[in-house]
Amino acid sequence: MKKNILLLAAASTLFLSPSLALGAPASPDSASVASIRDKALQSDSFAYEIVEGLTTEIGPRQGGTEAEARARTWSVSKLKALGFDNVRIEEYQMPTWVRGEETASIVAPYPQKLAIAALGNSGSTGEAGLEAEIVYFPTIDDLRAAPDGSLKGKIAFVSHNMKATQDGSSYGAFGPARFVGPNIAAKKGAAAIVIRSIGTDYHRNPHTGNTNFDPGVTPIPAGALSIPDAENLERMIARGKPVRLKLKLTPKNVGMQTSGNVLAEVKGSNPDLPMIVIACHLDSWDLGTGAIDDAAGCGIIGAAAKHLQSMGQPKRTVRLLWAGAEEVGIWGGRDYGAKHANEPHAFAMESDFGAGKVWAVDFRLPESASALRGQIVSALAPLGVVPRKELAGGGADVGAIIAAQKLGIIDLQQDGTKYFDLHHTPDDTLDKIDKAELRQNVAAWVATLALVANYDGELKPEAAR
Amino acid sequence: MKKNILLLAAASTLFLSPSLALGAPASPDSASVASIRDKALQSDSFAYEIVEGLTTEIGPRQGGTEAEARARTWSVSKLKALGFDNVRIEEYQMPTWVRGEETASIVAPYPQKLAIAALGNSGSTGEAGLEAEIVYFPTIDDLRAAPDGSLKGKIAFVSHNMKATQDGSSYGAFGPARFVGPNIAAKKGAAAIVIRSIGTDYHRNPHTGNTNFDPGVTPIPAGALSIPDAENLERMIARGKPVRLKLKLTPKNVGMQTSGNVLAEVKGSNPDLPMIVIACHLDSWDLGTGAIDDAAGCGIIGAAAKHLQSMGQPKRTVRLLWAGAEEVGIWGGRDYGAKHANEPHAFAMESDFGAGKVWAVDFRLPESASALRGQIVSALAPLGVVPRKELAGGGADVGAIIAAQKLGIIDLQQDGTKYFDLHHTPDDTLDKIDKAELRQNVAAWVATLALVANYDGELKPEAAR
């Protein structure tokens, strides 16, 4: 690893030197980018204020709920107060699922309560609850291998062995227990399913999150056990006696509800240059106050745009998309993509991975933008941010507009080692925000944004044009 | 600090050398104590097995409940299987309070749910709950200073600034918000009280624990907010608008119920020597599975007694007291003291501070036992355990018998820095146990116990006789 890191550093230097020496003049000049970056690093308070305000004055704000509507109103006030242009709400309708009561207890052979949370789109047990024997699957593949009908009248319990990873990729590797486990169990006839939370902490706070059932499959009750509870249940099962669980989950679908995106802009000086969209999501899951997921992202992009504004008008318009209803199906991002598909965009960035430090930068830019790329790498290096060879992907809320217009993308990658300790849990609260790390993140964003928003060359990658 | 530590080390050396050179012959010899200590350090599994069994097969076991009765049955089997003598239950009756539903929501100006748990002996809001304005007290002293009647119809909110301390003493310093806050608020006419949890973590898991109302004071609903919630509430209050809370706590008193102590013994060879009692408590609070509080203590003393047994019969009888109903009023310890007040005891030790490493040893022994003291200090030194000048106090469950018979005491002190992250919360679960630290703890116990149980001199301090 060390050798690779040294090689990468050497390669960056080789790559940068010519681009700095021979490329187009930096616009804005690198000194002013460094200045605004360092100002953000030392004293940004905009980002924290946004997170503090949203978590304190709104708290949980699930997509489609009245709390999310209050969050939109709050955001309009905040973004106007920050001096952005064209601050507005774009509403849309979406089917909405809301949590009910949720309890789980081992009935036999070792009676005790377990900490559980319903997964988004879970079916209901009804008020009476249901009691059944557990069938244990150490992994989602074991559930996949179960014979059809073998789960009839049983509660499937799917565990996994998710570990924290720096890039957070274990979420993708182990997430299917939640993403598709309930659908698979329902098809095999299970009465209900409980999964080990898709997370990496050891607190009694289950990780919720959406699951989806295929059309025609009746949703079964589906809950996540906290990791200490899942491990306790595994120990009970290992003792060899049948384990019976009493489960009560009473969520319900409340039909089509209003959700919406909040948009704001920093207007560019050149109306011929396609704009940049930067995104976060305003909604959160209902268990925590959505500090890291994703008030932090809204704080980061809001602060970055605010610092950009203080440099004078950028060449390109920068649009802020504080998207609605991401957690429950990316309704805001998809609505944005549909409504703005014909409006010229050049480039997208998204912040939706907490409030921690940026450690790497990934690009998806045309070859012609190599000088810009070099300037960005240079501007990020003093923050401890290194370029990678991974291709930038953007994020959920900019996914639709990227797909529609094949945009250029930069990802400022954050350390994911602790992210899944908090993700979708009651523990996602303001106190988890490290102000110094947040400022570093904002500094990386403002440096990147200042360079991209003032770049008048092509930003869409070749393959996309 | 460093200077003091060095002085202490020097003093210990001076103290030890003569006692080792001139004192009575070690009994048992120091080599066999070192051998049993190191065996426990390297491979003890008894302690972990007890914690694993109690948390998995019983889980929460609140004093006076059916779960605690199951824990007694489990314990009798376990202690018999470990080969102890006179394994038995001693029952007593006690008034029992049990948790009901518990919810708290800010109604205005920033509607959101708060994580709350009722305190033991809390009154009930009734099924309808109650809604009232919050009156904020930054500390318990601010509540004390509030004029009588000033809280009429209001909900008192008492915060504090508890920080983790190595010796855990901040629990005593900040605990009064829980111990007496509700009683004070009730006397001043409050409709209810919520406190910042007496704890040091940042998870959405409130810390429960007993509170007590004076005779004649009607218990008011009294709950603990998790620390993230308490801080969120403080931020709301700081914004200056009246804050209204909707509270539902429906605990109830279920009258006199059966609880009990579980006793077991390692029989001594000399019936003329008064016995040693070593204690933990078998009950736990109802929110967690009571791994660190105090299955760990029962594991530690059980393992220590088991290793002692393997050395052959000790001179003195060692009695294990797995006490009932400590959390809810030290009912087991008091029952033991009352029932065994006339049975000769010489010495007591207790383990009720988690499963972590022992770092210090405190004594309350007669001057005549200085050689024994020196042997113990010597035997503990290789475990990183240092002698202090603090006087040993014993613990809650041996408090009554110590008071009745003025016993000698040794305290093996554990690091308390993280203890109040977990204490009385749902997070007190098996996964918090570090097996290596637990083995060190057992090793310290078995070394101490082997020396004391084979000491035939006086163990009661002079002042006590």
Side-chain angles (χ1 to χ4, degrees):
Chain A
M1 272 309 279
K2 195 167 184 185
K3 191 176 167 195
N4 287 346
I5 288 167
L6 289 174
L7 281 175
L8 195 62
S12 304
T13 308
L14 289 173
F15 171 80
L16 284 181
S17 303
S19 72
L20 285 173
L22 308 174
S27 171
D29 68 85
S30 58
S32 57
V33 172
S35 167
I36 197 78
R37 175 198 67 203
D38 293 342
K39 190 181 165 204
L41 182 66
Q42 286 152 26
S43 62
D44 174 68
S45 61
F46 298 122
Y48 187 81
E49 281 168 16
I50 288 168
V51 183
E52 196 269 356
L54 270 173
T55 55
T56 305
E57 299 185 12
I58 308 298
R61 46 197 183 277
Q62 190 184 324
T65 68
E66 171 275 339
E68 195 200 31
R70 280 189 282 118
R72 285 193 294 278
T73 304
W74 185 96
S75 300
V76 166
S77 298
K78 186 69 181 177
L79 291 164
K80 283 184 176 169
L82 288 169
F84 295 118
D85 302 316
N86 289 337
V87 179
R88 64 208 186 271
I89 294 169
E90 289 183 350
E91 292 185 349
Y92 49 84
Q93 301 293 305
M94 53 167 285
T96 301
W97 171 99
V98 293
R99 189 177 305 284
E101 281 184 78
E102 36 201 26
T103 58
S105 299
I106 300 298
V107 177
Y110 311 116
Q112 56 178 291
K113 288 184 186 175
L114 303 179
I116 196 165
L119 300 177
N121 295 323
S122 166
S124 173
T125 60
E127 283 298 319
L130 70 84
E131 184 190 318
E133 188 179 330
I134 280 179
V135 184
Y136 172 54
F137 300 100
T139 72
I140 183 72
D141 286 337
D142 297 310
L143 173 65
R144 286 192 174 105
D148 285 349
S150 63
L151 291 172
K152 196 158 175 59
K154 305 288 176 68
I155 298 175
F157 166 41
V158 181
S159 195
H160 60 79
N161 192 25
M162 179 175 172
K163 299 286 182 241
T165 50
Q166 184 169 330
D167 64 358
S169 60
S170 59
Y171 183 59
F174 295 93
R178 188 189 89 215
F179 309 150
V180 299
N183 184 54
I184 295 169
K187 286 182 178 176
K188 291 179 189 290
I193 179 172
V194 295
I195 65 164
R196 176 179 168 130
S197 282
I198 306 302
T200 51
D201 64 298
Y202 275 87
H203 299 287
R204 299 290 291 288
N205 294 313
H207 297 236
T208 190
N210 251 20
T211 191
N212 288 293
F213 294 90
D214 287 345
V217 175
T218 301
I220 56 173
L225 298 172
S226 87
I227 290 164
D229 289 277
E231 293 194 352
N232 200 1
L233 181 52
E234 289 189 74
R235 287 191 297 273
M236 292 179 197
I237 290 164
R239 280 157 160 79
K241 295 180 188 166
V243 176
R244 293 187 68 80
L245 184 72
K246 174 82 188 274
L247 189 65
K248 183 177 185 183
L249 301 174
T250 59
K252 56 186 174 185
N253 293 307
V254 293
M256 296 301 281
Q257 301 289 328
T258 301
S259 180
N261 294 321
V262 180
L263 306 183
E265 284 157 22
V266 179
K267 274 196 187 153
S269 59
N270 185 345
D272 295 334
L273 289 173
M275 73 175 145
I276 288 167
V277 60
I278 58 176
C280 62
H281 66 85
L282 182 57
D283 68 306
S284 76
W285 268 108
D286 59 329
L287 299 176
T289 62
I292 68 152
D293 190 12
D294 182 32
C298 295
I300 289 162
I301 72 166
K306 178 73 186 166
H307 290 291
L308 177 71
Q309 215 179 27
S310 74
M311 296 176 79
Q313 198 173 18
K315 289 181 182 167
R316 293 177 192 266
T317 291
V318 173
R319 179 176 287 165
L320 289 80
L321 166 59
W322 286 16
E326 188 269 349
E327 298 291 3
V328 289
I330 320 178
W331 293 90
R334 290 189 283 132
D335 186 74
Y336 181 85
K339 283 184 181 152
H340 299 271
N342 296 322
E343 203 175 2
H345 294 67
F347 176 85
M349 288 178 74
E350 182 166 312
S351 178
D352 186 14
F353 203 51
K357 281 179 75 171
V358 173
W359 77 276
V361 54
D362 300 339
F363 297 90
R364 185 186 296 242
L365 292 176
E367 284 298 319
S368 60
S370 67
L372 172 68
R373 186 184 184 285
Q375 286 175 304
I376 293 169
V377 169
S378 249
L380 294 178
L383 298 172
V385 179
V386 296
R388 299 197 305 178
K389 291 176 182 165
E390 301 284 332
L391 212 51
D397 291 307
V398 292
I401 192 69
I402 287 172
Q405 300 198 4
K406 315 298 179 198
L407 305 182
I409 313 169
I410 292 178
D411 290 343
L412 293 173
Q413 299 289 1
Q414 298 169 233
D415 189 325
T417 311
K418 295 182 179 175
Y419 186 72
F420 293 101
D421 288 356
L422 302 172
H423 182 250
H424 296 188
T425 74
D427 264 348
D428 180 3
T429 49
L430 180 66
D431 49 277
K432 307 310 182 300
I433 305 286
D434 179 311
K435 288 182 182 179
E437 292 207 3
L438 181 59
R439 284 197 302 271
Q440 186 265 10
N441 194 312
V442 170
W445 264 80
V446 69
T448 305
L449 196 59
L451 288 162
V452 175
N454 286 289
Y455 182 74
D456 47 19
E458 181 60 68
L459 284 165
K460 293 187 181 183
E462 284 79 2
R465 291 199 300 275
Chain B
M1 273 309 280
K2 194 168 185 185
K3 191 177 168 197
N4 287 346
I5 289 167
L6 291 174
L7 281 173
L8 196 62
S12 303
T13 309
L14 289 172
F15 171 79
L16 285 181
S17 304
S19 74
L20 284 174
L22 308 174
S27 172
D29 68 85
S30 59
S32 57
V33 171
S35 166
I36 197 79
R37 175 198 67 204
D38 294 342
K39 189 181 165 204
L41 181 66
Q42 286 151 26
S43 61
D44 174 68
S45 62
F46 298 121
Y48 188 82
E49 280 168 17
I50 288 168
V51 183
E52 197 268 357
L54 270 172
T55 55
T56 305
E57 298 185 14
I58 309 297
R61 46 198 182 278
Q62 189 183 323
T65 68
E66 171 274 342
E68 195 200 31
R70 280 189 282 120
R72 286 193 294 279
T73 304
W74 184 95
S75 300
V76 167
S77 297
K78 185 71 182 177
L79 291 163
K80 282 183 177 169
L82 287 169
F84 295 118
D85 302 314
N86 288 336
V87 179
R88 63 208 188 270
I89 293 170
E90 290 182 350
E91 292 185 351
Y92 48 85
Q93 300 293 306
M94 53 166 286
T96 302
W97 171 100
V98 294
R99 190 176 305 282
E101 281 183 78
E102 36 201 26
T103 58
S105 299
I106 300 298
V107 176
Y110 311 116
Q112 55 179 292
K113 287 184 185 173
L114 303 179
I116 196 165
L119 300 177
N121 295 323
S122 167
S124 172
T125 60
E127 282 298 319
L130 70 83
E131 183 190 318
E133 188 178 329
I134 280 178
V135 183
Y136 172 54
F137 300 101
T139 71
I140 183 72
D141 286 338
D142 297 310
L143 173 65
R144 286 190 174 107
D148 284 349
S150 64
L151 291 173
K152 197 158 173 58
K154 306 288 176 68
I155 299 175
F157 166 41
V158 181
S159 194
H160 59 79
N161 191 27
M162 179 175 172
K163 300 284 181 245
T165 49
Q166 184 169 331
D167 65 358
S169 59
S170 59
Y171 183 59
F174 295 93
R178 187 189 90 214
F179 310 149
V180 299
N183 184 54
I184 295 170
K187 286 183 178 174
K188 291 179 189 290
I193 180 172
V194 295
I195 66 165
R196 175 179 168 127
S197 282
I198 306 302
T200 50
D201 64 298
Y202 275 87
H203 298 287
R204 300 288 293 285
N205 295 314
H207 297 235
T208 191
N210 250 20
T211 191
N212 288 292
F213 295 91
D214 287 345
V217 174
T218 302
I220 56 174
L225 297 172
S226 87
I227 290 165
D229 289 277
E231 293 194 351
N232 200 1
L233 181 53
E234 290 190 73
R235 288 191 298 272
M236 292 181 196
I237 289 163
R239 280 157 159 78
K241 295 179 187 166
V243 176
R244 291 187 70 79
L245 183 72
K246 174 82 187 275
L247 188 64
K248 182 176 184 184
L249 300 174
T250 59
K252 57 187 174 185
N253 294 306
V254 293
M256 296 301 282
Q257 301 290 328
T258 301
S259 179
N261 293 321
V262 179
L263 306 184
E265 283 155 24
V266 179
K267 274 197 189 155
S269 59
N270 184 345
D272 294 334
L273 288 173
M275 74 175 143
I276 288 168
V277 60
I278 58 176
C280 62
H281 66 86
L282 182 57
D283 68 306
S284 74
W285 269 108
D286 58 330
L287 299 176
T289 63
I292 69 153
D293 189 11
D294 183 30
C298 294
I300 289 163
I301 72 166
K306 178 73 186 166
H307 290 291
L308 176 72
Q309 215 179 26
S310 73
M311 296 177 78
Q313 197 173 21
K315 290 180 182 169
R316 292 177 192 266
T317 291
V318 173
R319 178 175 289 165
L320 290 80
L321 166 60
W322 288 15
E326 189 268 352
E327 297 292 2
V328 289
I330 321 178
W331 293 90
R334 290 189 284 131
D335 186 75
Y336 181 85
K339 284 183 181 152
H340 299 271
N342 296 322
E343 202 175 3
H345 293 68
F347 176 85
M349 288 178 74
E350 181 166 313
S351 179
D352 185 14
F353 203 49
K357 281 178 76 170
V358 173
W359 77 276
V361 55
D362 301 339
F363 298 89
R364 187 185 294 242
L365 292 176
E367 283 299 318
S368 60
S370 67
L372 172 67
R373 186 183 183 284
Q375 286 175 302
I376 292 170
V377 169
S378 250
L380 294 178
L383 299 172
V385 179
V386 296
R388 300 198 306 177
K389 291 176 181 166
E390 302 284 332
L391 212 51
D397 291 306
V398 291
I401 192 68
I402 287 172
Q405 300 198 4
K406 315 296 179 199
L407 304 182
I409 313 169
I410 293 178
D411 291 341
L412 293 174
Q413 299 289 1
Q414 298 169 233
D415 189 325
T417 310
K418 294 182 178 174
Y419 186 72
F420 293 102
D421 288 356
L422 302 173
H423 181 251
H424 296 189
T425 74
D427 264 348
D428 180 4
T429 49
L430 180 66
D431 48 278
K432 308 308 182 303
I433 305 286
D434 179 309
K435 288 182 183 179
E437 292 207 4
L438 180 59
R439 284 198 302 270
Q440 186 266 10
N441 194 313
V442 170
W445 264 80
V446 70
T448 305
L449 197 58
L451 288 161
V452 174
N454 286 290
Y455 182 75
D456 49 18
E458 181 60 67
L459 283 166
K460 294 187 181 183
E462 285 78 3
R465 291 199 298 276

